[in-house]
Amino acid sequence: MKMKETPQELRVRKRMLPGAITLHGFIGNDKRSLSTIIAADEQELEKLGYTAEDIADRMQYFTDASFSTFDGSIIIDNCYKLETDVVRGKLPCPYAHGGLYRKAITKLTNLENNESVSWTSLNIHLIKDHHFFEGKGSLFRLEPTVLVKALF
Ligand SMILES: [Zn+2]
């Protein structure tokens, strides 16, 4: 069943297109509505036994731990290699909440299984507050299964 998009959703989706807030946007080649994308990822997470908050809190923990290492890499808890890619500037949330999020990219590699993920502060916010992991094919799309393997 296709869910109809509300005017609010359509406005948000427009801000997620390439060139609006970021060069590549947040949707990729995903044709599904935002609520459909979000519902599918919530279902996936539930199967994996984690909540969006669990994931976001874990990402925040690593971002905080690695942020002082500017341009270097650091091993945390003997298992996670963190690198910070310093990109100057801040990004607004496409849901137009007024908050600004650092563009710097945190890259994590799980040294036990070699699974690796990259994110910005905006990704953490989008996951925590909107349960949005970006559309399929988006540059910063974060697959729940990959996140769970990498982060825990
Ligand atoms: Zn927001």
Side-chain angles (χ1 to χ4, degrees):
M1 199 174 67
K2 195 168 158 48
M3 278 184 255
K4 189 152 164 46
E5 292 184 283
T6 64
Q8 158 70 2
E9 259 193 334
L10 290 174
R11 272 195 298 274
V12 172
R13 199 175 219 284
K14 228 174 165 178
R15 290 189 209 104
M16 289 183 173
L17 293 176
I21 291 177
T22 66
L23 185 61
H24 300 283
F26 302 84
I27 296 287
N29 49 18
D30 208 318
K31 299 276 180 270
R32 298 172 298 167
S33 72
L34 287 182
S35 51
T36 309
I37 294 173
I38 288 168
D41 284 332
E42 281 173 340
Q43 231 173 42
E44 185 71 41
L45 275 175
E46 207 180 309
K47 267 190 264 168
L48 294 164
Y50 290 92
T51 65
E53 287 71 20
D54 295 334
I55 304 279
D57 287 350
R58 194 78 175 140
M59 290 162 81
Q60 190 65 56
Y61 165 73
F62 288 120
T63 294
D64 291 344
S66 69
F67 231 86
S68 53
T69 66
F70 289 101
D71 286 330
S73 75
I74 184 175
I75 310 274
I76 290 168
D77 302 339
N78 295 318
C79 179
Y80 308 94
K81 185 176 152 204
L82 273 302
E83 290 156 280
T84 304
D85 215 348
V86 179
V87 185
R88 294 197 179 278
K90 293 184 174 186
L91 293 170
C93 171
Y95 285 83
H97 286 142
L100 288 171
Y101 303 89
R102 281 187 290 209
K103 278 185 181 174
I105 298 163
T106 301
K107 183 183 175 198
L108 175 146
T109 305
N110 183 315
L111 298 174
E112 260 168 30
N113 57 25
N114 234 13
E115 208 64 70
S116 134
V117 277
S118 298
W119 66 79
T120 69
S121 293
L122 181 55
N123 288 115
I124 300 177
H125 166 73
L126 286 171
I127 290 173
K128 192 176 184 111
D129 293 315
H130 307 289
H131 297 183
F132 183 63
F133 295 75
E134 304 208 2
K136 300 268 185 196
S138 175
L139 192 62
F140 278 93
R141 161 76 187 166
L142 292 159
E143 283 300 335
T145 47
V146 176
L147 280 172
V148 166
K149 264 194 239 162
L151 297 173
F152 294 96

